[in-house]
Amino acid sequence: MSSNDVRDMLDLPDSGSTRPAKKQKLTAPRPVLKGLAREIQNLSGDNPIAIVPEVSAFKKKRYGSRKPVAKWEQKPFKNSARDGDPLVLRHWRRKEEKPPAPPVGEDGNVEMEEAVAPIAEEMVEDSTFAKYNVRVNVPEYTEEEYNAKLQNQDWTKLETDHLVGLAYEYDLRWPVIWDRYEPPLPAPDSADSLLGLVLPPKIRTVEDLKARYYSVAATMMAERKPPIKMNSAEFNLHEVMSNFNPAIETARKKFAEAAFQRTKEEAREEESLLLELKRILARSDKLNEERRELYARLEAPPSTGNIGIYSSSQGLQQLLQQLMQASKKRKSLMGSEGISPAAGPSQQASFERRDSSVRESISGPSGSNNNKKGPPPGPSERRQLTEEEEKIYGVSHHERIGASGAAFRHEKISKPLISKSSVQQTKIANVLVELEIPNRLIMPTVEVGEAYESLLQSINTLLDARKLADKLDGEIKLARQQKEEREKAARLERGEAVEGDEVEGNNKTEKEKSVARSVRGGSVARSVRGGSQGHKRSASVLSATSEQNFQRSKEYRLRH
Amino acid sequence: MAPPNNQKRMKGIQVFRPFVFGSTAKLFDPITNPKPPGTPEDHTHSWTVFVKGVDDTDITYWCRKVQFKLHESIPNPLRTIENINPGTPFQVHETGWGEFEINIKLYYTPESLEKPQTFYHHLRLHPYGLTEAEKDAMKLLPAIVSHCYEEQLFNEPYEQFYNMLTSPVERGKGKGTKMMKGGMVGSSGERTALIPLTSRPDQPFSRETEKLEIKRLMEAKAKIQVMNASAQEELKAKEDELKRLKAELKGIVA
């Protein structure tokens, strides 16, 4: 499209130039303007587009908005990291009138120079680098804490103090600490000097120093804040410090040194040996695989099925086909999973053909030698797990499980409690609260469940004992009353005859009976105690008879 | 999937899987925990209720989905979470002002042929504990955490499911296997019933915790036994006294 076409479209008068002439012009080399689409360039036709790149504008502007030269001055400063050193140095800073200087200035222009003129104290500012003077946090401990937690046969408190001091002074730079470590001599009144012996200072390696320092630091850290409450960064630090092992560290250094010292030839030899090892391992892996397969084949139980059908040539043909199928299957099985293919393929192949009655006869024996517990597991082979695997996968065997299906451990653990009467429940709950055992177990695992159960049992025993004690108290009270009455009666009898004697006698016998009964009831309760926990609380001795009946019926139920 | 009657239950076998459920609640705070726009005026906390594996292990191979039944006052109270990435929790985020019981329903994988099971969790927004000291300690924490350990039991699982539970996770599907953090020993991938040996700040459930709990229970039992012994002695003394009284009674009668 050319300008002519545009003119045409807009009904503008022709500019006069003819098409062929323009064609010629188009072919002529044109100044190529970069950064413009071809179509737009073409639109302009013969006259080039007037786009003048403004090159000089930037420079001019810069000259135009020139500011007066920034003023700099030498300013004094001090460094608070110098531990109270009154030294004052000066550096070049921008003058204050202007808005704050760019930070580049202070970095690039710091010039340490002796202060010459005395400067007013309030003028002196602190160095911006003072904040980088960070001291390490070394563990702090008091005398009691040291005696309680940090005692160590190998280290005296003096030595530990010295070590911690050095660690602080040299910012945990261990080689330096090791170099400067000079254990202070024990005080003259200490036990060692009393013996007249001056022990030579122990020679300690960097690892010894580190081990001591880390153990102290970790102990104090745990002391200040229990590990369970630390955030993860603190916890990781604590873990690292408490797991420091000087022996491993020494071995590592030795190894590194040896690796550093070895010659070129040794390095090359090692490399080739490693390659060799890799090859050997690969080969042994392959060998193991083959051996496993072989064993799997050998382990296949001998078929107890009828071989009569294979006696004919037709039967043999069938067998061959089965075997082919079986070997195909075996391959796919071996590839995917580590399931032992013992008896799997060959039997499966035969299952496809045989009727169900034959299947039963075969799965019987194979089930019994693969399965210790429970009935034989049907045609698909159950994977036999090792003890370790059972632990990993949380598999356990039980004589009988109440209900099959999904359940939750905590419910199961708390079931014996829930199945009791509400009176009993509240009693047990009260005891548990007294013992500060929370309502919900924190970790309802198997072991915790067992512990909980045995605790509940002993609580039950205690509650039963208490109940029995209450009952006995009642009986004792009653017996005392009776005794008093008897004595009174006896005294009366001896003194003068009372008309109501006969009535009282009747009373007595009745009471005696009830006492005897309740005693029997008590002994029954004692004998049944532990096994049964459901007896109702008897409020008084007088209800003993009903309780006795209850016990009897219970006994009866137990017996039958 | 094969119809249920095609499969047999594994008699006398129980498989368990540990998991953790619970809630974490945070008070709204203009700086640390700002209210998201659109939150009702009276809501004071943001909270999360979750079900996940111990040590963030995968549980999706036995737990297909989890349904959280929240309080009726919350819009759309029945929240069903499924198709999560293995190793991440089934969780619901919400805001609110009150505590209530959350009904949590676990749906198992189809292979298990098990019916969904329900348990409860009490949503905690405020410091709790038996003693005031415990509550005070909790006030200092950045969030109110109420996590519970639980073990999912599969009593007599179906064979197919049993095989799934007891075989290691298939590897080599391009996804790198995650290493356990808590010093776990085990070479069978993530489908284990093992729990970490030691606790870490955000993973409080471990063998260590279990031992502590057993120890506490045993101490309690020892206490009870001491009480028991004294109670028995008392009993004996009382029986003797009763006998003596009876004998005296008889003496008087005779």
Side-chain angles (χ1 to χ4, degrees):
Chain A
M1 192 143 81
S2 67
S3 58
N4 246 357
D5 299 341
V6 177
R7 277 175 219 273
D8 221 34
M9 271 189 260
L10 300 174
D11 285 332
L12 288 170
D14 204 325
S15 66
S17 61
T18 50
R19 262 171 199 262
K22 227 195 302 147
K23 278 266 155 84
Q24 259 179 342
K25 258 185 195 170
L26 269 173
T27 47
R30 269 204 279 165
V32 179
L33 280 173
K34 277 183 182 168
L36 270 178
R38 189 164 40 87
E39 286 83 0
I40 299 175
Q41 259 181 43
N42 281 347
L43 263 182
S44 67
D46 22 329
N47 4 312
I49 300 172
I51 297 176
V52 186
E54 293 183 42
V55 188
S56 53
F58 177 59
K59 260 184 185 167
K60 263 184 188 156
K61 205 174 180 186
R62 197 173 153 205
Y63 281 118
S65 66
R66 202 162 101 177
K67 285 178 198 157
V69 177
K71 279 182 181 147
W72 293 77
E73 60 173 349
Q74 276 209 321
K75 280 194 96 184
F77 71 98
K78 65 180 166 77
N79 192 336
S80 63
R82 278 175 171 274
D83 286 336
D85 191 344
L87 174 71
V88 175
L89 301 170
R90 319 175 109 211
H91 56 185
W92 284 105
R93 301 305 295 262
R94 266 212 167 156
K95 270 215 158 170
E96 277 301 306
E97 305 93 55
K98 293 284 161 213
V104 195
E106 62 180 336
D107 279 12
N109 291 291
V110 174
E111 262 173 47
M112 297 286 187
E113 233 175 78
E114 282 291 334
V116 190
I119 293 140
E121 195 60 26
E122 69 270 4
M123 291 282 289
V124 178
E125 61 177 314
D126 198 6
S127 163
T128 42
F129 298 101
K131 66 177 176 192
Y132 297 114
N133 184 43
V134 181
R135 305 305 325 226
V136 288
N137 286 323
V138 294
E140 286 164 15
Y141 43 83
T142 60
E143 188 84 39
E144 296 95 68
E145 279 171 336
Y146 184 88
N147 290 336
K149 296 263 176 189
L150 303 172
Q151 295 274 19
N152 190 314
Q153 288 183 334
D154 231 18
W155 289 80
T156 63
K157 182 161 189 300
L158 268 174
E159 285 171 323
T160 310
D161 289 347
H162 179 61
L163 173 66
V164 172
L166 283 177
Y168 178 74
E169 191 172 347
Y170 298 115
D171 295 329
L172 290 177
R173 279 171 290 209
W174 287 106
V176 183
I177 294 171
W178 174 75
D179 184 51
R180 302 293 159 88
Y181 180 76
E182 246 168 55
L185 288 172
D189 57 336
S190 81
D192 287 338
S193 55
L194 276 180
L195 289 168
L197 288 167
V198 177
L199 290 171
K202 282 178 198 138
I203 293 165
R204 300 191 195 275
T205 62
V206 184
E207 279 70 40
D208 290 339
L209 300 177
K210 274 187 182 177
R212 176 61 177 162
Y213 178 78
Y214 290 148
S215 80
V216 169
T219 315
M220 289 324 293
M221 206 169 154
E223 185 72 5
R224 300 273 180 266
K225 202 175 187 184
I228 210 76
K229 282 186 186 157
M230 291 181 191
N231 62 34
S232 56
E234 286 170 331
F235 186 77
N236 288 341
L237 179 64
H238 181 256
E239 280 291 273
V240 167
M241 290 207 294
S242 43
N243 289 338
F244 180 76
N245 186 342
I248 288 177
E249 194 67 4
T250 317
R252 183 186 67 80
K253 279 191 181 163
K254 249 187 208 159
F255 180 78
E257 183 146 10
F260 181 68
Q261 299 273 336
R262 69 186 173 174
T263 60
K264 215 173 202 174
E265 286 75 44
E266 282 172 331
R268 212 170 293 140
E269 197 185 334
E270 194 181 307
E271 217 163 87
S272 69
L273 279 176
L274 275 176
L275 260 176
E276 188 66 19
L277 178 70
K278 219 178 254 173
R279 216 173 301 147
I280 291 172
L281 279 179
R283 215 179 304 146
S284 77
D285 267 359
K286 207 175 144 209
L287 204 70
N288 278 342
E289 187 69 19
E290 279 170 6
R291 190 173 295 169
R292 207 165 62 87
E293 200 175 332
L294 183 66
Y295 280 141
R297 270 173 218 271
L298 288 176
E299 266 172 19
S303 169
T304 51
N306 186 8
I307 57 161
I309 49 165
Y310 302 126
S311 54
S312 70
S313 69
Q314 200 191 355
L316 275 177
Q317 191 68 33
Q318 224 171 6
L319 179 68
L320 184 68
Q321 267 177 6
Q322 275 169 27
L323 287 178
M324 296 273 277
Q325 264 182 351
S327 70
K328 262 185 218 156
K329 258 186 197 159
R330 180 193 299 271
K331 255 179 207 152
S332 62
L333 259 179
M334 296 299 285
S336 67
E337 263 180 292
I339 292 177
S340 135
S346 61
Q347 273 192 1
Q348 258 176 350
S350 48
F351 292 146
E352 278 159 18
R353 188 182 39 78
R354 282 181 200 154
D355 57 350
S356 60
S357 63
V358 185
R359 184 182 305 178
E360 223 71 325
S361 73
I362 292 181
S363 65
S366 75
S368 64
N369 54 15
N370 280 304
N371 210 45
K372 285 176 281 181
K373 285 136 194 144
S380 83
E381 202 57 41
R382 186 192 287 185
R383 228 155 52 86
Q384 202 47 38
L385 297 173
T386 61
E387 210 160 283
E388 196 184 335
E389 277 179 313
E390 286 193 348
K391 220 169 135 194
I392 289 173
Y393 295 123
V395 177
S396 54
H397 301 275
H398 300 266
E399 278 299 297
R400 54 179 271 275
I401 295 179
S404 47
F408 296 109
R409 175 94 69 203
H410 192 262
E411 263 168 41
K412 214 169 180 197
I413 289 175
S414 49
K415 210 176 227 167
L417 192 57
I418 288 168
S419 58
K420 288 215 173 72
S421 72
S422 58
V423 180
Q424 200 81 358
Q425 263 189 53
T426 41
K427 268 191 192 172
I428 293 175
N430 285 342
V431 175
L432 285 179
V433 167
E434 232 173 89
L435 291 167
E436 288 171 8
I437 300 280
N439 237 349
R440 192 181 196 287
L441 289 173
I442 297 165
M443 296 278 296
T445 59
V446 188
E447 287 92 353
V448 171
E450 279 161 8
Y452 189 65
E453 202 176 322
S454 70
L455 174 65
L456 278 190
Q457 244 166 32
S458 54
I459 289 178
N460 272 323
T461 321
L462 180 68
L463 288 180
D464 282 346
R466 278 195 187 155
K467 197 165 65 184
L468 200 63
D470 282 352
K471 205 159 74 183
L472 281 176
D473 268 345
E475 283 175 26
I476 288 170
K477 211 169 148 195
L478 193 79
R480 275 214 186 109
Q481 270 178 4
Q482 282 181 329
K483 201 177 124 193
E484 272 167 29
E485 275 173 36
R486 292 273 164 127
E487 279 169 355
K488 215 170 33 187
R491 246 182 283 126
L492 282 175
E493 259 175 60
R494 257 181 274 122
E496 63 219 73
V498 184
E499 50 272 15
D501 188 24
E502 214 167 302
V503 182
E504 212 178 305
N506 276 346
N507 250 348
K508 268 178 227 154
T509 48
E510 213 159 281
K511 268 182 189 164
E512 238 179 329
K513 257 188 220 159
S514 86
V515 168
R517 257 190 233 146
S518 67
V519 168
R520 244 186 294 148
S523 66
V524 170
R526 235 172 295 134
S527 66
V528 184
R529 189 206 316 141
S532 70
Q533 290 124 355
H535 16 253
K536 297 259 152 34
R537 184 190 151 76
S538 56
S540 73
V541 194
L542 293 175
S543 70
T545 38
S546 70
E547 166 132 25
Q548 190 192 350
N549 284 339
F550 177 73
Q551 290 293 349
R552 265 196 198 144
S553 63
K554 193 150 201 165
E555 251 190 319
Y556 179 82
R557 261 186 280 134
L558 282 174
R559 230 176 276 140
H560 295 269
Chain B
M1 194 186 71
N5 56 3
N6 249 3
Q7 289 204 40
K8 273 188 198 157
R9 283 192 179 272
M10 309 278 286
K11 285 274 173 253
I13 283 195
Q14 186 187 61
V15 183
F16 79 88
R17 283 293 180 272
F19 68 94
V20 181
F21 67 88
S23 57
T24 307
K26 258 186 184 171
L27 201 66
F28 280 128
D29 187 289
I31 300 145
T32 55
N33 188 21
K35 259 191 195 187
T39 314
E41 267 300 297
D42 53 349
H43 284 196
T44 52
H45 290 77
S46 71
W47 50 262
T48 304
V49 58
F50 66 87
V51 172
K52 63 171 188 172
V54 174
D55 207 24
D56 295 327
T57 47
D58 180 23
I59 58 168
T60 52
Y61 65 96
W62 59 264
C63 182
R64 184 167 56 94
K65 66 173 177 178
V66 178
Q67 192 183 63
F68 297 95
K69 197 172 172 190
L70 310 178
H71 197 262
E72 280 90 352
S73 62
I74 296 168
N76 188 12
L78 216 58
R79 308 287 174 92
T80 311
I81 310 295
E82 56 187 324
N83 298 330
I84 58 157
N85 281 331
T88 53
F90 292 91
Q91 58 184 1
V92 168
H93 300 287
E94 259 305 333
T95 60
W97 51 268
E99 300 186 347
F100 57 90
E101 290 265 302
I102 298 172
N103 185 320
I104 303 175
K105 200 172 191 182
L106 296 188
Y107 288 83
Y108 305 106
T109 42
E111 292 85 357
S112 71
L113 302 172
E114 302 286 6
K115 275 181 243 137
Q117 296 287 321
T118 308
F119 59 94
Y120 297 89
H121 176 69
H122 188 87
L123 174 67
R124 297 281 189 184
L125 300 184
H126 307 291
Y128 60 95
L130 289 175
T131 59
E132 282 302 312
E134 271 177 48
K135 280 185 196 173
D136 286 344
M138 204 171 281
K139 264 177 211 159
L140 301 175
L141 295 178
I144 300 300
V145 170
S146 164
H147 293 182
C148 300
Y149 173 93
E150 181 62 287
E151 286 185 1
Q152 173 69 57
L153 303 178
F154 293 107
N155 292 323
E156 312 197 327
Y158 285 104
E159 276 179 15
Q160 197 188 348
F161 188 50
Y162 173 81
N163 284 335
M164 247 183 70
L165 286 175
T166 56
S167 46
V169 64
E170 278 155 40
R171 282 166 195 271
K173 275 193 281 183
K175 196 193 77 170
T177 46
K178 199 184 83 190
M179 273 310 292
M180 312 236 171
K181 297 163 228 145
M184 182 95 80
V185 271
S187 54
S188 58
E190 295 193 14
R191 290 192 177 175
T192 71
L194 295 176
I195 52 176
L197 294 176
T198 53
S199 347
R200 285 174 301 113
D202 43 349
Q203 300 290 352
F205 303 110
S206 66
R207 290 263 161 252
E208 215 175 20
T209 322
E210 186 189 6
K211 287 225 180 72
L212 273 180
E213 173 137 57
I214 292 178
K215 201 175 138 219
R216 211 178 38 189
L217 287 174
M218 283 303 157
E219 274 166 9
K221 196 187 165 193
K223 245 188 239 172
I224 291 287
Q225 267 162 353
V226 168
M227 283 160 91
N228 236 335
S230 68
Q232 292 294 347
E233 259 171 46
E234 223 173 281
L235 255 180
K236 201 150 201 177
K238 279 183 184 156
E239 266 170 34
D240 287 346
E241 183 164 0
L242 191 67
K243 229 181 252 168
R244 192 174 52 79
L245 278 173
K246 288 239 173 75
E248 279 175 22
L249 249 168
K250 249 181 210 157
I252 292 168
V253 174

